[in-house]
């Protein structure tokens, strides 16, 4: 592998927090802020959308599933597009596409709601896949720290979106205004990312030829990482779609139910900040897996058993678990590979199949609710998925590479 000034801009073991480096870090943080908020604003206001447009629980769940299907389809192609157009330009154009999708989704018709959601999913796919490789490329000695900034920003804004969407939907702005609120951060991100365009030039961001190496899908490590990515995503997007509805069914007011999910999102922040740094210094990350699995199990059992008076505790535990499992899944892309190019390959593969599997979650949970008339049966699936996530993450935490 060869390097040049552009592809290895900050190889120093000490980061200089000024100039172009600081601009890049802020750009990454703002891109992260746009990758979940457009999705988390949906869950707390599903009832508004459902009642206004007359859609079923299954179709409402599909609003969360559409981006996951887009992630699954687009993820393998994101490094290819970035290689042809340039990494910085690709991320810039995807952010513009995200803004366009948010506008269309907010115009108030079922058709534009679905089409705008498709565009949002396509746009977010690029940031999901390309940022881990970018961080390994630009900051090879500080991936854990930069990944911590990335995941923390993602979770903070996801929590913010979940918390403010119901009050906005309940105001004169309606659910359309609630869906549009993420546009503010997206427009800011476009402005902040503009300075990176002067660094743009087409170059490989993934390994084009792996002479002498087996295909990535033949590695057991690849499948373990893919399982970890997919299962934690299934838990996140299913809770994003239905936790507010579950708590409403348990007697909470809709605004409080929306903030319960927001509490879960904000609780991810400490783990999102700490886990990437800790994981990068560990030979095996299995202690982290045992920790977040314990949090998942206690939190989900509390929700399913309808111990609603302790609902804040369950949300905090699920938030800590979600922050740790997501951050670790993202870190696996760099921990289980030797180069930035391999990290992009693994990221694209794992996110494609992982999100395809995760897409089952919101629809399946909505279907089970319609079938049984309650959330109890669907709720126990959370526990089953958490245990399967434990098995995949334990295997992915073993100290070895995909090649």
């Amino acid at each position: 592998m060869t390097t040049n000034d552009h592809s290895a801009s900050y190889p120093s073991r000490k980061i200089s927090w000024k100039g172009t480096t600081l601009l890049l870090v802020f750009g990454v943080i703002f891109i992260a802020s746009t990758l979940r908020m457009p999705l988390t604003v949906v869950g707390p206001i599903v009832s508004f959308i459902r009642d206004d447009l007359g859609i079923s629980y299954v179709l409402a769940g599909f609003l969360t599933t559409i981006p996951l299907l887009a992630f699954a389809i687009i993820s393998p192609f994101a490094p290819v597009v970035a290689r042809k157009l340039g990494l910085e330009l690709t991320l810039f154009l995807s952010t513009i596409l995200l803004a366009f999708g948010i506008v269309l989704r907010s115009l108030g018709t079922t058709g534009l709601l679905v089409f705008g959601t498709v565009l949002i999913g396509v746009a977010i796919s690029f940031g999901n896949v390309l940022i881990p490789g970018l961080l390994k490329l630009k900051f090879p000695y500080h991936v854990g720290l930069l990944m911590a900034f990335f995941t923390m920003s993602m979770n903070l804004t996801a929590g913010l979106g979940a918390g403010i969407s119901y009050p906005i939907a309940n105001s004169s702005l309606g659910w359309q205004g609630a869906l549009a609120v993420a546009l503010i951060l997206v427009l800011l991100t476009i402005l902040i990312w503009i300075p990176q365009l002067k660094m743009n030039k087409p170059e490989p961001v993934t390994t084009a030829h792996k002479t002498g190496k087996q295909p990535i899908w033949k590695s057991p490590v690849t499948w373990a990482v893919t399982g970890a990515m997919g299962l934690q995503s299934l838990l996140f997007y299913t809770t994003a779609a239905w936790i507010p509805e579950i708590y409403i069914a348990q007697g909470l007011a809709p605004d409080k139910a929306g903030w319960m999910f927001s509490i879960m999102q904000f609780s991810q922040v400490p783990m999102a900040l700490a886990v990437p740094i800790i994981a990068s210094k560990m030979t095996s990350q299995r202690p982290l897996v045992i920790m977040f699995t314990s949090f998942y199990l206690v939190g989900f059992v509390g929700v399913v058993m309808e111990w609603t008076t302790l609902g804040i505790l369950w949300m905090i535990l699920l938030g800590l678990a979600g922050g740790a499992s997501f951050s670790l899944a993202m870190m696996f892309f760099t921990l289980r590979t030797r180069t930035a190019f391999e990290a992009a390959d693994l990221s694209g593969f794992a996110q494609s199949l992982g999100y395809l599997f995760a897409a089952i979650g919101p629809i399946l949970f909505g279907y089970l609710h319609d079938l049984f008339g309650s959330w109890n049966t669907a709720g126990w699936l959370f526990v089953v998925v958490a245990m399967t996530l434990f098995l995949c993450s334990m295997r992915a935490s073993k100290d070895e590479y995909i090649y």
Side-chain angles (χ1 to χ4, degrees):
M1 181 186 70
T2 61
T3 61
N4 53 43
D5 290 340
H6 175 62
S7 63
S9 300
Y10 312 105
S12 172
R13 292 185 180 273
K14 184 177 181 180
I15 297 179
S16 175
W17 294 103
K18 59 183 180 180
T20 56
T21 305
L22 198 58
L23 278 174
L24 176 57
V25 171
F26 272 113
V28 168
I29 288 172
F30 269 82
I31 285 178
S33 75
T34 69
L35 298 183
R36 291 296 177 269
M37 190 178 187
L39 308 178
T40 59
V41 295
V42 177
I45 61 172
V46 163
S47 59
F48 287 91
I49 300 172
R50 196 176 61 241
D51 293 342
D52 189 30
L53 298 179
I55 61 178
S56 67
Y57 276 90
V58 173
L59 182 54
F62 198 59
L63 293 178
T64 304
T65 301
I66 288 172
L68 303 185
L69 294 174
F71 296 168
I73 295 169
I74 299 300
S75 291
F77 302 103
V80 179
V81 174
R83 183 171 67 244
K84 293 182 179 298
L85 299 182
L87 184 55
E88 291 82 1
L89 178 59
T90 301
L91 288 168
F92 181 73
L93 294 176
S94 69
T95 308
I96 293 176
L97 181 63
L98 178 58
F100 188 54
I102 291 173
V103 170
L104 290 182
R105 186 180 67 170
S106 306
L107 293 180
T109 69
T110 302
L112 289 177
L113 176 69
V114 173
F115 182 59
T117 302
V118 171
L119 295 185
I120 288 170
V122 171
I124 291 176
S125 299
F126 286 90
N128 283 342
V129 171
L130 298 178
I131 291 297
L134 174 73
L135 296 183
K136 191 176 182 72
L137 196 67
K138 300 289 189 176
F139 304 96
Y141 300 114
H142 307 281
V143 173
L145 177 63
L146 272 296
M147 189 68 76
F149 291 159
F150 177 73
T151 56
M152 180 182 67
S153 176
M154 190 183 298
N155 285 300
L156 276 172
T157 50
L160 179 64
I164 66 176
S165 63
Y166 183 87
I168 294 174
N170 202 35
S171 72
S172 59
L173 295 175
W175 62 265
Q176 296 95 330
L179 292 182
V181 69
L183 185 63
I184 298 171
L185 274 175
V186 175
L187 294 177
L188 285 173
T189 300
I190 291 172
L191 294 175
I192 291 171
W193 193 253
I194 286 175
Q196 301 306 319
L197 296 180
K198 66 182 180 182
M199 298 291 293
N200 185 76
K201 64 176 182 178
E203 65 174 348
V205 295
T206 183
T207 305
H209 303 285
K210 309 182 194 68
T211 305
K213 294 180 179 178
Q214 66 178 357
I216 191 171
W217 58 267
K218 288 189 175 182
S219 170
V221 180
T222 296
W223 289 103
V225 172
T226 300
M229 186 68 204
L231 290 166
Q232 66 81 27
S233 295
L234 187 152
L235 291 176
F236 173 81
Y237 287 103
T238 305
T239 53
W242 296 123
I243 278 290
E245 292 282 327
I246 290 173
Y247 271 118
I248 290 172
Q250 293 180 12
L252 282 186
D255 57 339
K256 291 183 178 178
W259 275 109
M260 290 293 273
F261 178 71
S262 188
I263 289 170
M264 188 182 86
Q265 285 300 116
F266 286 127
S267 297
Q268 292 193 17
V269 173
M271 290 297 184
L273 183 59
V275 165
I277 298 172
I278 295 171
S280 67
K281 300 179 184 301
M282 302 174 75
T283 302
S284 169
Q285 292 74 38
R286 288 179 173 178
L288 296 174
V289 176
I290 294 171
M291 175 194 67
F292 73 63
T293 302
S294 301
F295 291 160
Y296 268 135
L297 293 179
V298 175
F300 281 132
V301 168
V303 172
V304 174
M305 295 302 293
E306 300 189 12
W307 296 330
T308 312
T309 54
L310 294 175
I312 292 178
L313 175 61
W314 311 140
M315 292 298 98
I316 290 173
L317 288 174
L318 292 179
L320 293 172
S325 59
F326 171 72
S327 299
L328 188 56
M330 296 294 284
M331 281 299 295
F332 284 148
F333 301 147
T334 61
L335 292 171
R336 302 283 81 89
T337 56
R338 291 183 173 87
T339 70
F341 304 132
E342 290 179 2
D345 283 339
L346 180 59
S347 176
F349 183 92
Q351 294 198 52
S352 176
L353 292 185
Y355 283 125
L356 183 61
F357 182 72
I360 298 171
I363 292 179
L364 177 59
F365 276 66
Y367 171 76
L368 290 175
H369 174 274
D370 289 348
L371 183 64
F372 293 100
S374 75
W375 293 108
N376 188 265
T377 301
W380 285 109
L381 281 181
F382 283 129
V383 176
V384 175
V385 173
M387 288 305 302
T388 311
L389 172 60
F390 169 77
L391 297 176
C392 291
S393 298
M394 288 292 280
R395 178 63 180 85
S397 295
K398 186 178 180 181
D399 185 24
E400 60 180 300
Y401 297 111
I402 58 171
Y403 297 122

